[in-house]
Amino acid sequence: VLDALLEILVQYRSHSDLRASIVALFERIDSDGSGLVNFEEMRDTLSTLISTLYFSREDWDEICAPFLPEHRVHTDGLDLGSFEQMISHQLKLYHFRHINRALLGGANGEKMSLLALKWLLTVQQGKEEAGQEDMLFPPNSPTPYMLASGNNNSGGTSQKGASHPTTPA
């Protein structure tokens, strides 16, 4: 439903650029200045920004409800933090759809590979800015070095019990 909007948002240059775009979009949609975006504001603003986009109550329930407490689904709306989470989730799904199309041969594979790398790097940059751990390679998971060297045992030892380094020396 939001692909026309997401197509614009994927033009970001960095995590901070993406965040600034999401905040600006939130402020534009929050027409009454309440600090919350409700269904009517989202529907009206999206139809103004993208004339071909139709945003229904069912779309709101499907896309936004997971980011709202159950008692607020049809009343208040999304605050900025919930709106950012929702847009980030929709961007992730957008990237996955396009990567899948590329894998199935339906799109330019090179463009989709670059889009996927951009998304992964942006997610990583956002986690680093937030002080979160590197989750591209969670603890006890094989790193690219381990996979390339044939050592995918996350414990750092092979089947025979010999110790192997898990990172390059």
Side-chain angles (χ1 to χ4, degrees), residues 13-132:
R13 298 187 192 286
S14 66
H15 180 262
S16 56
D17 181 44
L18 175 60
R19 187 171 191 291
S21 295
I22 293 171
V23 169
L25 179 63
F26 177 86
E27 290 171 351
R28 177 124 188 223
I29 294 173
D30 182 20
S31 58
D32 65 1
S34 67
L36 296 171
V37 168
N38 62 35
F39 163 69
E40 290 79 14
E41 289 174 318
M42 189 119 158
R43 179 197 61 211
D44 296 346
T45 304
L46 290 178
S47 67
T48 300
L49 292 174
I50 304 165
S51 62
T52 59
L53 189 122
Y54 175 73
F55 191 75
S56 68
R57 172 62 75 176
E58 290 79 21
D59 295 329
W60 169 266
D61 290 343
E62 180 182 333
I63 292 169
C64 300
F67 302 96
L68 289 168
E70 194 171 312
H71 66 280
R72 286 183 32 198
V73 173
H74 295 291
T75 56
D76 298 326
L78 295 166
D79 62 16
L80 178 58
S82 298
F83 184 80
E84 276 188 270
Q85 289 177 343
M86 181 272 296
I87 292 292
S88 295
H89 181 72
Q90 290 302 312
L91 277 170
K92 179 174 78 172
L93 296 176
Y94 175 87
H95 283 97
F96 286 164
R97 283 192 301 276
H98 284 80
I99 291 166
N100 283 335
R101 283 188 201 132
L103 291 172
L104 295 172
N108 180 334
E110 184 176 308
K111 178 182 175 188
M112 291 304 113
S113 296
L114 291 173
L115 187 64
L117 286 172
K118 178 181 174 181
W119 176 71
L120 283 172
L121 291 172
T122 301
V123 167
Q124 181 62 25
Q125 183 182 16
K127 288 178 187 246
E128 288 172 1
E129 288 176 7
Q132 297 175 348

Side-chain angles (χ1 to χ4, degrees), residues 146-165:
M146 292 167 63
L147 294 173
S149 68
N151 177 14
N152 60 5
N153 183 335
S154 60
T157 59
S158 70
Q159 322 267 104
K160 297 178 184 174
S163 180
H164 295 282

